[in-house]
Amino acid sequence: MEMSAADGGLGRSAHRQRSCTVKRKRWGGLRQQWKLLGLFEIDEQHEFYSLTCMMKEGLAAASQRTIDNAPRNELSDEDYRLEVTQIHKDFTMETFAGPVFSLLRGALGVSEQEYQQSLSSSSCYLQFISNSKSKADFFLTNDKRFFLKTQNKREVKFLLSNLKIYMEHLKRFPHSLLVKFLGVHRIKVPHRRKKYFIVMQSVFYPDDRLNARYDIKGCEVSRWTEPAPEGSHIIVVLKDLNFEGQYISLERQRAWLLQQVEIDTHFLQRLNVLDYSLLLAHQPLQHDERHQSLSFASLIMRAKKSVNPGSTPTHPGISAVPGEVQEDGSTLLLSETADSYFRQSQVGVASSGGSLQTCPEHAGPGSDTAELPEFKAQNRRLLPNLKNPLYVIDGPEQRYFIGIIDIFTVYSFRKRLEHWWKRLRHPGRSFSTVSPQAYCVRLCHWVQDHTK
């Protein structure tokens, strides 16, 4: 039986439709599988594929500009206000305060080359499915080292207007738990709405072996999330009520954590913000990591991450936050410092019941005897020799990942109205929308009550 050209065309059309249907089903099944895990791989079929491609291209060019122009050791007021626009084929991307974030990245031990490689690699970004009420979109680099989050104009303006204060806080308290912002950008596509986004260091990196993740606000209303079925690989970020009956067991480092949370939350109180979260995750320590003695060799390695030699940076990229200290012949100095610190910490532990206490700042910079008191006054600790040391705290049995995120919500008139409405709706119960002072105190109390 002969088939006409029209019949042949219809046959081919039906075949294409069946093929597309199969592809959609396959993609739908894969999409559902990723959604159950809390992550999507953003491939060509994904709604955010075009946006993330622009992010990659723009970030590659922005970081290349920094690589080609050696960063300065000193920041000027102009650096904080600097806006650089780079034109691409289908979009333009603006980078805000580039020198400031470049210096911070270097201080955290993140080279521009590895930053560029991670953010603009050929591998797809991952979309993180959050249970947050925020309308923001969350993306992770494929290696899960950096978080990208869309922000509205008001939030970006708030961050940039307080960037200098934020940097000064990190300089004064180098081991702060505040999220580390690594870049602020805006993408403009003709005839479309501008898209602002920020780049942050992921608190949960590396995330292998993490067996629980929590978002803590210190209250109870809407602070329960249905856990994933036991034995499943679904990623669920749990909340305050899920953590009840559990403790962060740190022993010797408990006092440090309490002090740092108090320092950071009081800083946020001064910025008049609330509704921030304490991110918390934990994983069991490996057998050889448990109850290990603090050998002098490991002490030297940890001191190298913790002690910033000299109050003024002498190397490009080394600034206030000592993620890593470059090898520059200062090993002897660090050895002596670590030895002295180790001896003093033993005395401090014995006299404080298991934790090294901070002491007042009473010695001026540049004094030989001031280094250790200043070290303690800044509430520093011996950082672990790990990839993400500022967010990692080891207890006797568990390794904890802890950081403070979402610091953009100002206690505005609208939030005050929301506070009174929630008081009427939830009498006698604690909820997130309270004054910055009450929020600060409440979160500090939560940490105190849930650590040992």
Side-chain angles (χ1 to χ4, degrees):
M1 182 176 180
E2 293 185 5
M3 180 182 291
S4 68
D7 291 336
L10 289 173
R12 285 192 296 273
S13 176
H15 177 74
R16 281 197 300 270
Q17 287 180 351
R18 285 195 299 270
S19 177
C20 289
T21 302
V22 169
K23 285 181 179 179
R24 279 197 299 270
K25 286 183 177 179
R26 187 180 302 150
W27 162 241
L30 182 61
R31 185 181 175 92
Q32 184 64 24
Q33 181 182 352
W34 278 101
K35 190 168 185 178
L36 287 175
L37 293 173
L39 294 171
F40 277 109
E41 189 175 58
I42 304 176
D43 66 6
E44 294 181 13
Q45 305 298 319
H46 197 285
E47 59 181 320
F48 288 126
Y49 181 72
S50 176
L51 173 63
T52 55
C53 283
M54 288 188 285
M55 286 178 167
K56 283 185 179 183
E57 184 180 340
L59 289 168
S63 54
Q64 188 61 48
R65 185 178 188 276
T66 305
I67 292 171
D68 296 339
N69 298 276
R72 296 183 289 275
N73 290 334
E74 297 294 331
L75 294 173
S76 65
D77 290 340
E78 288 73 22
D79 290 327
Y80 285 91
R81 296 191 295 266
L82 184 64
E83 298 181 19
V84 174
T85 300
Q86 292 177 298
I87 301 173
H88 300 266
K89 181 181 178 182
D90 300 315
F91 68 98
T92 61
M93 194 177 88
E94 290 171 290
T95 298
F96 300 93
V100 180
F101 293 110
S102 173
L103 201 63
L104 180 55
R105 292 193 295 267
L108 293 166
V110 179
S111 73
E112 292 302 314
Q113 288 79 6
E114 62 182 319
Y115 183 69
Q116 183 187 59
Q117 182 179 1
S118 181
L119 286 166
S120 57
S121 73
S122 59
S123 301
C124 296
Y125 280 177
L126 305 175
Q127 182 190 9
F128 176 68
I129 306 300
S130 171
N131 54 9
S132 168
K133 295 179 181 178
S134 167
K135 295 180 180 179
D137 299 309
F138 300 83
F139 309 114
L140 272 169
T141 54
N142 194 267
D143 59 9
K144 301 180 184 178
R145 186 173 184 181
F146 302 113
F147 233 107
L148 300 93
K149 180 184 177 184
T150 61
Q151 304 281 169
N152 62 44
K153 183 178 180 179
R154 179 193 60 78
E155 292 166 334
V156 167
K157 186 177 179 179
F158 175 80
L159 172 58
L160 293 174
S161 64
N162 290 288
L163 183 56
K164 196 168 188 178
I165 303 171
Y166 168 80
M167 292 291 287
E168 288 170 353
H169 179 77
L170 295 186
K171 183 175 182 179
R172 186 176 180 189
F173 301 103
H175 295 175
S176 168
L177 293 170
L178 292 182
V179 62
K180 305 304 181 295
F181 298 110
L182 305 181
V184 177
H185 307 273
R186 177 175 64 195
I187 285 179
K188 293 198 295 185
V189 179
H191 313 298
R192 292 189 195 175
R193 192 173 182 179
K194 299 172 184 176
K195 184 76 72 173
Y196 291 86
F197 69 95
I198 58 175
V199 183
M200 301 172 284
Q201 208 171 22
S202 175
V203 175
F204 298 154
Y205 174 79
D207 73 339
D208 52 306
R209 298 195 302 114
L210 290 185
N211 51 19
R213 297 168 173 83
Y214 296 88
D215 178 300
I216 302 296
K217 292 183 182 289
C219 57
E220 55 183 331
V221 173
S222 300
R223 300 307 297 166
W224 166 267
T225 294
E226 194 63 34
E230 191 169 349
S232 74
H233 297 289
I234 299 173
I235 296 175
V236 175
V237 179
L238 304 172
K239 298 181 181 179
D240 300 62
L241 296 179
N242 299 95
F243 197 81
E244 286 307 303
Q246 301 181 65
Y247 291 91
I248 305 169
S249 181
L250 294 176
E251 294 186 353
R252 288 177 57 181
Q253 299 208 68
R254 178 177 183 263
W256 179 88
L257 177 63
L258 295 179
Q259 179 82 355
Q260 194 58 54
V261 170
E262 184 176 353
I263 289 168
D264 289 334
T265 55
H266 275 82
F267 169 73
L268 296 177
Q269 179 187 332
R270 290 195 298 274
L271 291 183
N272 198 38
V273 301
L274 68 156
D275 214 26
Y276 43 89
S277 296
L278 183 78
L279 278 190
L280 168 67
H282 57 81
Q283 62 181 209
L285 289 175
Q286 303 282 22
H287 179 72
D288 60 345
E289 295 171 328
R290 296 184 182 184
H291 309 291
Q292 60 181 348
S293 61
L294 194 60
S295 67
F296 189 72
S298 66
L299 189 66
I300 296 299
M301 291 301 297
R302 294 179 67 177
K304 281 186 160 192
K305 282 188 177 290
S306 304
V307 180
N308 195 2
S311 57
T312 303
T314 56
H315 302 287
I318 297 300
S319 178
V321 185
E324 284 186 342
V325 175
Q326 290 187 0
E327 300 288 347
D328 59 354
S330 58
T331 304
L332 179 60
L333 168 64
L334 290 168
S335 301
E336 291 169 350
T337 301
D339 185 32
S340 175
Y341 179 72
F342 183 54
R343 284 187 270 106
Q344 292 203 21
S345 68
Q346 287 179 316
V347 175
V349 168
S351 63
S352 64
S355 298
L356 182 65
Q357 303 294 325
T358 59
C359 67
E361 290 182 344
H362 59 269
S367 168
D368 291 338
T369 59
E371 189 166 358
L372 288 173
E374 184 181 353
F375 184 95
K376 291 188 285 183
Q378 290 183 312
N379 201 44
R380 299 198 194 189
R381 60 191 171 98
L382 289 176
L383 294 176
N385 188 28
L386 300 169
K387 294 179 181 178
N388 196 21
L390 292 175
Y391 296 127
V392 176
I393 311 175
D394 283 354
E397 301 291 334
Q398 297 278 340
R399 172 165 295 155
Y400 297 93
F401 294 72
I402 303 175
I404 296 174
I405 65 165
D406 294 339
I407 63 173
F408 299 116
T409 304
V410 177
Y411 195 48
S412 59
F413 177 71
R414 180 178 176 180
K415 283 293 176 182
R416 292 172 191 269
L417 291 178
E418 185 179 331
H419 166 75
W420 287 106
W421 178 76
K422 286 187 176 180
R423 281 190 64 178
L424 295 173
R425 187 178 180 188
H426 307 289
R429 301 183 69 195
S430 60
F431 44 84
S432 62
T433 311
V434 293
S435 71
Q437 180 182 4
Y439 199 97
C440 163
V441 171
R442 189 173 65 190
L443 189 60
C444 288
H445 284 168
W446 188 95
V447 176
Q448 187 170 9
D449 293 342
H450 293 83
T451 54
K452 61 182 181 179

